[in-house]
Amino acid sequence: MSLLEIHDLKVCYGGIVALNGISFGVNEHEIVTLIGANGAGKSTTLRAIMGLIPITSGTILYNGERLHGLDTQKIVEKGIVLVPEGRRVFPNLTTLENLKLGAYLQDKKTVEPNLKRVYELFPRLKERHWQQAGTLSGGEQQMLAVGRALMANPKLIMMDEPSLGLAPLVVKEIFSIIKKINEDGVTVLLIEQNANVALKTANHGYVLETGTISMTGTGRELLENEAIRVAYLGKTR
Amino acid sequence: MRIKRNTILTLAVAVVLVGLLYWLSFNQAKNGMLVSILQKSAIFALVAVSMNLLNGFTGLFSLGQAGFMSIGAYTTAILLIPVKNLDGVYYMNGVSPFIRAVKVYLATLPDWFQAIYPFIALLLGALLAAIVAALVGIAVLRLKSDYLAIATLGMSEIIRAICSSPQMDKITNGSYGLNKIPNFPPLLGGLIPAMLTPFIVVAICITFIMLLIRSSYGRAFKAIREDEIAAEAMGISLVKHKAMSFVISSFFAALAGGLLAMYMRSIEAKTFSISLTYDILLIVVIGGIGSVSGSVLSAFLVTASKEWWLRFFDQPLNILGWQVPLFRTGFRMIIFSVLLMVVVLVYRRGLMGSNEFSWDRLLGRFKRKKLSEGGVK
C-alpha cells in the first residue's frame, strides 16, 4: 500500500475541468514527481491534496485514511506540508519568524531541534535569521520555504516548482537538498516543469497532460522515453 | 549589559511618567486643559492600537471602529447613570422599567461592589461589542480589502442608526443622547486618584495587545497579513484567526468607547459617526501601520496638536500693530492638515513604520550622528 493514494481525482473550477480523473500513488520514502506543461493541472493536484480547494469527485487516501474533505489544518497535523509555488515566504517577517510559523501547529519542544536541523541543511538561513525574508535572494527564499515546511515535522513534503526562476547552480543545490531530505526518511512529491532535473532525482514519475495522466514509469524510464524527450527535454526530431 | 541598560532606561522613563501624572493629579485645577488632553489621547491610543491589531497586524482593512465604540459607550453609560438622575436624562420618553429595576437593585449592593461597578460596566460593554463582532464577523470576514472596509463601515452606521432610532428611546434615549454619566472612578479604594484611572486601564489593555502580538497568535496574524495562501498551507486557520483578531479588536475599541463616555460625561449617536473612525485611522496611519508604539505616540501627538498646540492659530494675532489676516477660528485645522501632509511625505510609512520603539534604535541614532561627525577629517 502506498503512503498517498489518489483515485480518480476530479477537480473543476466553475465549469472548467482542471483534473479529469487522475490516479496515482506515492510510496513511502520515495521521491515522486509529476511533470507536465503549464495548465496540465499539477498545482491543482497539490492544492486538492492540501485541502486548499474542494474536489469534485474521487478519493485521496493517506495511510489508508480519507484525506479529502478535511481542513488544511488537520492535513498539516497529519504530517503533510506544501512548499507553495513561487516560494510565498512572508516578506516582512524575519527568516526566524518565517521558520517558527512553519512549526505553528507543532509542539513547542520540537521547535529547537527542528530549527537546528534546518540550519544544518541551510547554513545560509542561520546567517540571515534576523533578516526580513523579502530581502533574501530568490534561492535563499526557496531554501527558507523548504526550511519552513521542514519545521512542521513532515512525513510527506510536497513541492510546487522549487526550481522556478532560479539559476541552474542554485537549482542543483536545491535538488541535492531535496535528496538529502528524502534520505532522512521524508517522502517527497515534487512538481516540476524542469523535467530533466526532476526525473533524474525521482524514483517515480507521472506525466500530466491537460488533466489526465498520460504516462508513468521510473525516473530513468521516462528520461529515456522518446516522446518525453521531444515534449519536455527539448530534443529535436 | 545592553539589556540591563534598556531595562533601567524603561523603568526610569516609567517612573518619570508616573511621577508627572501624580503631580498633575494634585495640581489638576491649574492644568485642566493638559489633563483632559492627555486623557483623551490615552483613550484614542487604545482605539488606535485596537484598530492597528486588525488593520496593521492581521491585514483586515476594517472601518467599523466607531460602531463598536458606540456599543461600549452606550452600555457603560446606561449602566452608570445614577438612579436619581434617570428621570432627568430620559425626560422625553421615560426609561424602560427593566433598566430602572436592575439599576435600583444594583444600587442596594454593598460598597465594595459599587467600587468595582464602573469596571464591570466597561467590561460588559466590551463583551457585548465582542459578541456583536463575532456575529457580524461570520458574515463579513469572507470579504477582502476594500469590500470589507465598506461592509464594516456600513455596519458601524447601522449600529449608530439603531442607537438613535425612536424605537430605542427608552434604552438609548434616541437622538437626545445620554448625559450625567459619572466621571472616572478612583482605583484601589482611592489609592490611585480618579484622574489616573484611564491611563491605567489603557496601559493594561495595550500591554495585553502587545503580549498577544508577540505570542504565536500574533505571528499567525502577521502571516495572514503577508500571504493568506501560504499561511493556510502552514495550517493556520484563516477563519479562526481572522475572527479572533476582529473580536479582540472590537472588545478593546468598545472598552475605549466606555472610557470615552466617562471622559465626555455625555454622549449622543452623532459622536460615533464615520468621522470618528477616520480620526482613528489617521492616528494609525500617521503612527505607522503595524506599530503599536507608533499608534500610541501618534495618538498623543495628533490629539495634542489638534486640541492644544495649534490653538493660537485661531486667535487674532497682532504683529507691531498689524493684524495678520489669516488667524481666525478654523485656521488651526488648515495648518493641521498641512502638517499631516508634510508628515506623510517625510515619513512615508508613518512615524514608526512597522517598527516598535526600542532604546537601541533611539540611542543608535545619536551614535551614528556622532560617528559621522567624528569620521570627517
Side-chain angles (χ1 to χ4, degrees), chain A residues 50-52 72-73 76 81-82 84 88-93 97 100-102 104-105 108 132 148-149, chain B residues 216-217 219-220 222-237 240-241 349 354-355:
Chain A
M50 277 317 281
L52 293 171
T72 307
Q73 207 181 332
V76 175
V81 288
L82 173 70
R88 286 191 181 262
V89 294
F90 303 116
N92 291 314
L93 303 185
E97 280 176 309
K100 281 189 176 167
L101 272 164
Y104 187 68
L105 294 174
K108 283 225 167 70
Q132 288 199 335
R148 189 177 61 179
Chain B
S216 67
Y217 285 116
R219 220 179 286 130
K222 285 189 224 164
I224 292 174
R225 169 190 73 190
E226 302 277 298
D227 193 324
E228 284 196 6
I229 294 174
E232 205 181 0
M234 298 291 101
I236 295 167
S237 158
K240 188 181 131 196
H241 286 89
R349 299 181 58 230
S354 57
N355 303 311

Side-chain angles (χ1 to χ4, degrees), chain A residues 115-176:
Chain A
L115 204 57
K116 225 176 198 174
R117 187 171 137 225
V118 169
Y119 282 157
E120 264 166 33
L121 277 174
F122 307 103
R124 200 95 62 89
L125 294 184
K126 191 176 186 180
E127 284 166 30
R128 300 183 183 262
H129 70 96
W130 51 270
Q131 206 173 318
Q132 288 199 335
T135 64
L136 299 175
S137 74
E140 286 160 352
Q141 285 187 21
Q142 185 64 56
M143 291 174 192
L144 178 56
V146 175
R148 189 177 61 179
L150 287 176
M151 292 295 289
N153 293 316
K155 289 191 198 81
L156 171 64
I157 188 166
M158 305 196 290
M159 300 193 193
D160 198 343
E161 305 241 11
S163 73
L164 190 76
L166 298 182
L169 262 177
V170 183
V171 172
K172 225 174 154 185
E173 204 180 330
I174 296 274
F175 272 82
S176 77

Side-chain angles (χ1 to χ4, degrees), chain B residues 5 28 61 64 74 87 89 113 120 125 135 148 151 173 197 206-207 219 224 258 345:
Chain B
R5 184 200 69 192
Q28 208 168 341
F61 189 41
Y74 267 99
D87 290 318
V89 174
F113 179 80
I120 296 178
L135 293 175
L148 177 66
N173 208 15
T197 304
I206 291 179
T207 311
R219 220 179 286 130
I224 292 174
L345 283 173

Side-chain angles (χ1 to χ4, degrees), chain B residues 138-157:
Chain B
I138 296 169
V140 302
L141 285 177
R142 299 151 198 255
L143 302 172
K144 294 228 169 93
S145 60
D146 314 3
Y147 298 95
L148 177 66
I150 299 290
T152 46
L153 197 68
M155 181 219 61
S156 167
E157 278 297 278

